Amino acid sequence: MPVRYKTCLLIDDNYIDNFVTRKILESGNFAEKIIVQQSPVDALNAMREGLVKPDVIFLDIRMPAMTGFEFLEEYDKLDLDLENPVKIFMLSSSLDPTDMNNSRNSRHVAQFIHKPLTYEALEELST
């Protein structure tokens, strides 16, 4: 399977979830580089400073310092010089219908994916 993306940014405060998701992304040959940030604030700062230039982001919703939706509000304020828009997938264990609706209604979110990420879900992202 060919690599689909150059840089994937995984933003989730849970170490175990990051470990599992990263392994699936790596074995699925999803991106050349996978960067993990446990803090959405750190992820925003890295993007703002040009240290991280993702073309795809997997974003958790429920995090202590900043929720995924708060991240999207701040992401909106970034002045990123991108040739192609970043594809953002909400990757969450939330069963809250409000979270799913907010994901669907966000202009940044391509899709809501339930944790844990599976090979089947990863395959569906390519179609």
Side-chain angles (χ1 to χ4, degrees):
M1 175 186 312
V3 174
R4 295 183 210 155
Y5 295 98
K6 184 174 168 123
T7 304
C8 175
L9 177 59
L10 174 58
I11 306 170
D12 193 326
D13 64 309
N14 186 299
Y15 175 83
I16 301 295
D17 288 343
N18 285 333
F19 180 82
V20 171
T21 301
R22 181 182 197 130
K23 288 297 180 195
I24 290 172
L25 292 170
E26 286 173 346
S27 63
N29 210 21
F30 191 75
E32 289 175 25
K33 185 179 352 178
I34 299 167
I35 299 168
V36 177
Q37 287 281 349
Q38 285 188 265
S39 162
V41 174
D42 291 346
L44 284 166
N45 288 335
M47 291 173 69
R48 191 176 290 117
E49 294 168 14
L51 302 173
V52 176
K53 296 179 181 178
D55 44 1
V56 64
I57 296 173
F58 285 88
L59 177 64
D60 189 21
I61 293 175
R62 306 243 170 125
M63 296 178 279
M66 174 185 280
T67 70
F69 296 112
E70 290 168 337
F71 170 89
L72 292 174
E73 288 174 21
E74 293 302 312
Y75 173 82
D76 229 4
K77 299 174 188 174
L78 292 179
D79 187 24
L80 300 175
D81 185 25
L82 300 171
E83 295 174 20
N84 298 312
V86 176
K87 193 170 241 183
I88 300 177
F89 299 105
M90 287 300 230
L91 181 61
S92 179
S93 56
S94 173
L95 298 175
D96 185 340
T98 303
D99 287 340
M100 290 179 237
N101 284 332
N102 288 342
S103 294
R104 272 194 295 275
N105 293 330
S106 171
R107 66 185 184 94
H108 294 294
V109 177
Q111 188 175 335
F112 182 96
I113 303 166
H114 285 283
K115 284 183 185 176
L117 182 64
T118 63
Y119 291 109
E120 293 79 19
L122 201 57
E123 277 301 309
E124 288 176 18
L125 297 181
S126 65
T127 58

